[in-house]
């Protein structure tokens, strides 16, 4: 028996004037009510209820304890009500973390209708490429690429992040188009240092066999806009997330290379501090994102226009 349960039982007995009616109201056995009152009186070291053949009533100690218990329980109910209303109305602040490129090109535009639909909710979006400790930083949900490494976190699969090998048409006209992975060693390559094996590119052929190509070039960076600018300027071949390269592919500024070979996709997850009791503001955001990050989501509104416009300004 815990003290809060004992207080709740005591208050109902005092208000209803009967052990049996309190048991019926609380939907427990009468013996449970009797034991709760006995436990409470033993804990306090004093009798709270006078019992006789005509019924029961509170003594002076019982009346003092009843008033205090009722005030405490009312405050608890008010606190719980505040939390439920806060959760139901999507009030407060939703803190989100993701990478710089994905946040700017994809997540930012996708958040706008969510924010408009929940005017009482404040969204705090942090974009950085270093690992973020969700609990230490007070982050409610992070959007991350790749398999989940921390099993203590909660996670929801959102979709796949495909990659594509690209080069500028001018570069391919000057250096030739590679026809097989083993020809990449003779080319200048622009290397993304964060994922996809860094300078060893993995790909699967039409026959299902995996191929590994060691590449080199004059630029290696963890900044996707920089890599996109470099490959558009003809500096070499790169593998980029499809959402980054899609706009330049559509405009003809970039062309696909080794189209008969498939690069591995990354899994895209929403990650939150615990798999239990996930706040409604987090589950609501996930429900908003799931249909927008399925199928060929990189062809939609957030197709990488930021990269296209931003790099044009740099040029």
């Amino acid at each position: 028996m815990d003290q809060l349960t004992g207080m709740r039982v005591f208050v109902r007995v005092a208000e209803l004037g009967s052990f049996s009616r309190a048991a019926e109201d609380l939907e427990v056995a009468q013996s449970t009510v009797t034991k709760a009152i006995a436990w409470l009186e033993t804990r306090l070291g004093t009798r709270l209820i006078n019992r006789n053949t005509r019924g029961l009533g509170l003594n002076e100690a019982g009346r003092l304890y009843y008033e205090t218990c009722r005030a405490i329980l009312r405050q608890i109910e008010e606190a719980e009500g505040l939390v439920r209303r806060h959760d139901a109305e999507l009030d407060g602040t939703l803190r989100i973390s993701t990478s710089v490129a994905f946040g700017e090109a994809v997540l930012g535009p996708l958040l706008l209708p969510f924010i408009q639909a929940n005017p009482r909710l404040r969204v705090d979006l942090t974009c950085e490429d270093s690992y973020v400790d969700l609990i230490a930083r007070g982050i409610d949900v992070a959007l991350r690429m790749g398999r989940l490494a921390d099993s203590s976190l909660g996670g929801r699969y959102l979709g796949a992040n495909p990659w594509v090998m690209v080069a500028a048409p001018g570069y391919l006209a000057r250096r030739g188009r590679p026809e097989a992975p083993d020809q990449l060693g003779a080319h200048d390559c622009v290397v993304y240092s964060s994922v996809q094996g860094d300078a060893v590119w993995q790909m699967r052929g039409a026959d299902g066999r995996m191929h590994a190509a060691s590449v080199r070039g004059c630029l290696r960076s963890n900044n996707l806009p920089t890599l996109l600018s470099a490959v558009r300027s003809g500096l070499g071949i790169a593998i980029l997330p499809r959402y980054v390269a899609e706009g330049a592919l559509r405009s003809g500024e970039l062309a696909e290379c080794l189209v008969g070979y498939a690069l591995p996709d990354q899994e895209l997850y929403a990650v939150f501090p615990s798999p239990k009791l996930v706040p409604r503001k987090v589950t609501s955001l996930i429900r908003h994102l799931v249909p927008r990050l399925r199928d060929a989501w990189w062809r939609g509104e957030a197709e990488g226009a930021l990269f296209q416009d931003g790099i044009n300004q740099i040029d």
Side-chain angles (χ1 to χ4, degrees):
M1 178 70 62
D2 65 84
Q3 187 173 4
L4 187 58
T5 299
M7 291 168 63
R8 286 195 172 106
V9 172
F10 170 72
V11 166
R12 295 311 290 151
V13 170
E15 291 175 344
L16 297 173
S18 166
F19 278 49
S20 60
R21 286 200 293 271
E24 182 179 352
D25 181 72
L26 295 169
E27 298 182 344
V28 298
Q30 184 171 334
S31 60
T32 301
V33 173
T34 302
K35 290 177 182 177
I37 299 301
W39 178 87
L40 201 56
E41 290 179 330
T42 300
R43 175 183 173 84
L44 295 171
T46 187
R47 183 177 290 275
L48 300 171
I49 300 174
N50 293 324
R51 308 162 181 83
N52 56 42
T53 56
R54 291 173 297 182
L56 59 83
L58 299 180
N59 58 25
E60 185 177 1
R63 287 191 295 273
L64 289 172
Y65 192 62
Y66 166 73
E67 292 298 334
T68 303
C69 287
R70 189 172 66 171
I72 291 172
L73 294 174
R74 186 183 300 118
Q75 288 181 331
I76 291 173
E77 289 176 359
E78 290 174 356
E80 291 176 344
L82 285 173
V83 171
R84 292 191 185 100
R85 289 193 298 274
H86 173 274
D87 205 32
E89 296 174 357
L90 295 189
D91 204 345
T93 301
L94 175 61
R95 294 179 173 83
I96 308 170
S97 171
T98 194
S99 66
V100 174
F102 189 80
E104 292 180 345
V106 180
L107 184 57
L110 292 183
L111 281 176
L112 298 182
F114 179 77
I115 295 170
Q116 292 168 346
N118 299 282
R120 294 176 61 88
L121 185 68
R122 296 180 297 278
V123 172
D124 184 342
L125 174 62
T126 300
C127 300
E128 54 188 292
D129 291 329
S130 58
Y131 177 82
V132 174
D133 186 322
L134 303 188
I135 297 175
R137 294 279 295 276
I139 300 297
D140 296 302
V141 60
L143 269 66
R144 291 179 174 171
M145 306 289 184
R147 294 186 179 275
L148 299 183
D150 189 342
S151 60
S152 68
L153 301 176
R156 170 67 188 273
Y157 176 77
L158 297 178
N161 177 37
W163 289 65
V164 61
M165 187 181 300
V166 294
Y171 172 87
L172 295 176
R174 186 173 72 252
R175 298 290 300 275
R177 182 183 293 270
E179 302 294 337
D182 58 8
Q183 296 179 9
L184 290 171
H187 281 269
D188 296 325
C189 293
V190 178
V191 176
Y192 184 41
S193 59
S194 293
V195 294
Q196 297 288 16
D198 200 348
V200 179
W201 294 353
Q202 306 282 340
M203 61 206 78
R204 186 183 302 276
D207 58 359
R209 291 175 52 212
M210 291 298 299
H211 299 264
S214 296
V215 298
R216 58 183 177 80
C218 62
L219 177 63
R220 177 179 179 271
S221 175
N222 68 344
N223 183 267
L224 287 168
T226 297
L227 298 181
L228 178 62
S229 178
V231 73
R232 286 176 63 235
S233 68
L235 204 59
I237 300 173
I239 54 174
L240 299 172
R242 188 92 197 195
Y243 73 85
V244 174
E246 183 68 12
L249 285 169
R250 288 190 183 186
S251 68
E253 291 177 284
L254 294 181
E256 288 193 49
C257 301
L258 296 182
V259 293
Y261 295 83
L263 296 168
D265 291 346
Q266 280 183 311
E267 295 173 328
L268 174 58
Y269 280 93
V271 184
F272 28 92
S274 172
K276 298 178 181 179
L277 299 176
V278 182
R280 186 169 174 264
K281 59 187 177 181
V282 173
T283 59
S284 296
L285 174 65
I286 291 172
R287 283 197 299 271
H288 172 78
L289 293 177
V290 163
R292 293 167 172 82
L293 292 172
R294 290 288 169 87
D295 302 322
W297 56 267
W298 58 90
R299 298 183 187 276
E301 278 184 24
E303 65 180 17
L306 174 138
F307 289 97
Q308 189 73 17
D309 295 343
I311 300 304
N312 282 338
Q313 293 173 9
I314 293 173
D315 289 347

